[in-house]
Amino acid sequence: MHSEDVNGKVLEHWDCDDLEAAMAAGEVVTIDVRTPQEYLFEHIRGALLLPLAGFDPAFLPEGGDKRLVFHCGSGVRSRKVAEAWLAAGHDRVAHLEGGFAAWKAALKPYTGTDMASGAPIRVNAKTD
């Protein structure tokens, strides 16, 4: 993870390992800002959907013990949302650098779609 100053506030750029570990520890709320269609086709299991097109920081709860981490397809939309969150008066936020494309390239687990049946399937799920 690395961070940058955005008008005196902190924007963190997390990598896939950072997000996977924080999700496993229950430390974050992951918010997918892609379209509903993108989300339904494939998404990080446990991520909530709040598309960029309708994003309003007022709809998200403040405080709490979990960090917000935004993600999109490539990192562009999630950065815009993170900057909007900071502009709304918050001091720190994170987004997944490289987005869902980086998540898939890192072979992290996600929920996809079985193209034969249309049913959701686990992709890259660890089998123990």
Side-chain angles (χ1 to χ4, degrees):
M1 174 201 23
H2 66 280
S3 60
E4 70 175 282
D5 180 283
V6 177
N7 299 318
K9 299 176 181 191
V10 179
L11 173 58
E12 296 175 347
H13 304 272
W14 287 26
D15 66 25
C16 298
D17 292 333
D18 296 328
L19 180 56
E20 183 179 45
M23 288 181 76
E27 299 170 346
V28 297
V29 174
T30 306
I31 301 175
D32 189 328
V33 300
R34 298 175 305 150
T35 66
Q37 295 83 359
E38 289 172 297
Y39 181 88
L40 287 172
F41 184 65
E42 55 188 8
H43 61 272
I44 296 172
R45 185 170 184 247
L48 305 176
L49 178 64
L50 183 58
L52 170 64
F55 180 76
D56 182 342
F59 290 125
L60 292 171
E62 294 191 38
D65 59 345
K66 294 190 179 193
R67 305 275 309 280
L68 294 181
V69 182
F70 297 107
H71 92 84
C72 64
S74 67
V76 173
R77 290 174 283 181
S78 60
R79 181 187 174 102
K80 287 180 184 177
V81 167
E83 288 176 347
W85 178 256
L86 294 174
H90 304 278
D91 294 326
R92 177 181 295 269
V93 73
H95 85 113
L96 177 60
E97 191 166 47
F100 190 66
W103 186 267
K104 287 173 62 174
L107 302 177
K108 301 296 184 187
Y110 64 94
T111 300
T113 301
D114 180 324
M115 299 312 287
S117 67
I121 56 169
R122 293 293 310 257
V123 180
N124 297 331
K126 294 181 175 143
T127 56
D128 294 283

